[in-house]
Amino acid sequence: MVPYLSGIWLVLGLTTFPITINANCPSGALCQLNARAGAYQRFWGTCVQPNVTSAYAVPRYRALAINFQEFGMVTPTKGFEMIISIIQDHVTTVAGYYQGRVYAWDVVSEIFDDKGGWRNNIFYKYLGPDFVEIALSAARGADPNAKLYIEEYGAEDVNAKSDSLYDLAKDLKNKGVPLDGIGFEGHLNSPNIPAPSSVYYNTQRFEALDLDWGYTQLGVRIVNGATSPPRQAEDCLAVLEAACLVSTRCVGVSTSGITDLTTIEGMGIWGGPVWQETFFDLNYVPIIQYEVMADYLSLVTVNGNYI
C-alpha cells in the first residue's frame, strides 16, 4: 500500500482539507505521478479544497481541520483544564472516527514563528510546550497504529525554526512521547530555494532521531514572475533530489494543490502576491514542472490532460 498522510491541525484552525489521491483513481496524470512515486515506496498527493476533487478523492484519507470558532469558548477564566479537555476531545473524536483507515496524522502544525520561537496561541499561553505532548498522546490513544507527525513550514533547511523543531522532536523522543515523523510543508520560492546540502543535513538529523518525514504541502513558487517555468521545474527537482528521493525515511510528497486556483494562496485567502506553484495549468494540463518530475520518477513523460 502506498502511504498517505492526513492531518489534525490544532494550531491554525484552518478550514482547508488536504486530500490525497489514490494511485488507482481514474484522474489521469496526477495519479500517474502517485503510481510512479509508489515504485519508490513513496506517495504523491495534493492538498486542495474538498469539493475540488471529490469525484476522485478517497474520503477516508481526507484530513480534517478544526474550525477556529470552536476555540471561541476559551477565555482566561476557564483555565488550563478546559483547554486540555478541548485538545483531547478534538483529537480523540477526529482520529478515533478514522481509526485504522489513515496511514499518518499531522497532529500539530506551524507551532513556531519565523524566528524559531513558540507561537503565542491559546494552547501555548496556558499549557506551554506541553500541549504538543497532550495532542500526540491523545492521537496515539485514538488511533494506535497510525503514524504521528508534527508539521512546519520554513524548516526545510537548517535555520532557527528547524533548530527549534529539532530540539522539540529530540525532547519528545527522549521522553517517550509518541512521534513518528516530521512534515516539512515545502513552501519555497524559485529561484531562491534553500541550499540542497542544508536540506540534506537537516533531514538527516531528524532521521537520526528515528523519524520519518515528508513534504506535506510542496509548492516551489514563481512569485510575481521572478523566474521562468523551466527554472521552477529545475528547483523543484533539486529540492526533492537533495534528500527525499535518496532517503528511505522520506515517505513522500503532497503538493499544495492541483492548479493555482485550488491552493490557499492562489485563491487569494492570504491576500498576498501572485504566484504559480502547482503542476497543472488552469485547464488541468500538466506544465513543465510536472513533465520534469514524471521523467525523473519513471523515465517516461506522461502527456495529456489531468482528467
Side-chain angles (χ1 to χ4, degrees), residues 61-271:
Y61 299 126
R62 181 176 296 172
L64 297 183
I66 192 162
N67 190 311
F68 185 78
Q69 281 71 32
E70 181 171 342
F71 294 99
M73 69 182 79
V74 180
T75 67
T77 61
K78 294 187 177 178
F80 68 92
E81 291 185 359
M82 182 178 182
I83 299 176
I84 292 175
S85 177
I86 289 173
I87 294 174
Q88 292 174 331
D89 289 348
H90 173 68
V91 173
T92 299
T93 299
V94 176
Y97 183 84
Y98 291 96
Q99 180 182 359
R101 294 180 287 169
V102 171
Y103 166 75
W105 292 104
D106 279 336
V107 181
V108 292
S109 179
E110 302 183 6
I111 55 180
F112 295 110
D113 63 30
D114 291 342
K115 295 181 180 180
W118 285 86
R119 292 187 184 277
N120 192 28
N121 56 59
I122 190 68
F123 306 113
Y124 185 79
K125 180 177 180 181
Y126 282 92
L127 303 177
D130 290 347
F131 80 87
V132 176
E133 179 177 343
I134 293 168
L136 289 167
S137 298
R140 176 66 86 226
D143 197 356
N145 295 321
K147 301 289 186 180
L148 306 181
Y149 279 59
I150 295 174
E151 182 189 53
E152 189 58 79
Y153 76 89
E156 293 78 16
D157 60 338
V158 177
N159 56 44
K161 181 179 283 191
S162 65
D163 285 345
S164 296
L165 182 59
Y166 173 79
D167 290 341
L168 171 63
K170 184 177 180 180
D171 180 62
L172 292 171
K173 294 290 286 186
N174 287 339
K175 291 164 62 176
V177 177
L179 177 65
D180 303 301
I182 301 296
F184 298 106
E185 292 187 13
H187 297 302
L188 307 172
N189 294 341
S190 178
N192 302 312
I193 62 171
S197 59
S198 184
V199 174
Y200 178 76
Y201 175 81
N202 188 48
T203 56
Q204 285 292 298
R205 61 175 174 169
F206 284 97
E207 291 183 18
L209 297 178
D210 193 28
L211 293 171
D212 292 333
W213 63 277
Y215 288 111
T216 53
Q217 300 183 41
L218 182 68
V220 179
R221 306 160 171 161
I222 300 176
V223 180
N224 290 335
T227 189
S228 66
R231 177 58 188 270
Q232 176 192 36
E234 177 184 332
D235 285 347
C236 184
L237 182 57
V239 167
L240 296 180
E241 281 186 310
C244 185
L245 297 179
V246 298
S247 171
T248 58
R249 300 307 297 265
C250 177
V251 299
V253 175
S254 289
T255 59
S256 59
I258 299 176
T259 78
D260 291 317
L261 291 182
T262 63
T263 67
I264 294 174
E265 298 85 355
M267 290 184 291
I269 291 177
W270 299 138

Side-chain angles (χ1 to χ4, degrees), residues 7-37:
I8 313 172
W9 289 346
L10 283 173
V11 176
L12 288 185
L14 300 177
T15 55
T16 56
F17 298 76
I19 296 178
T20 310
I21 305 299
N22 191 319
N24 298 318
C25 73
S27 53
L30 180 58
C31 293
Q32 292 285 352
L33 277 185
N34 197 337
R36 287 176 177 146

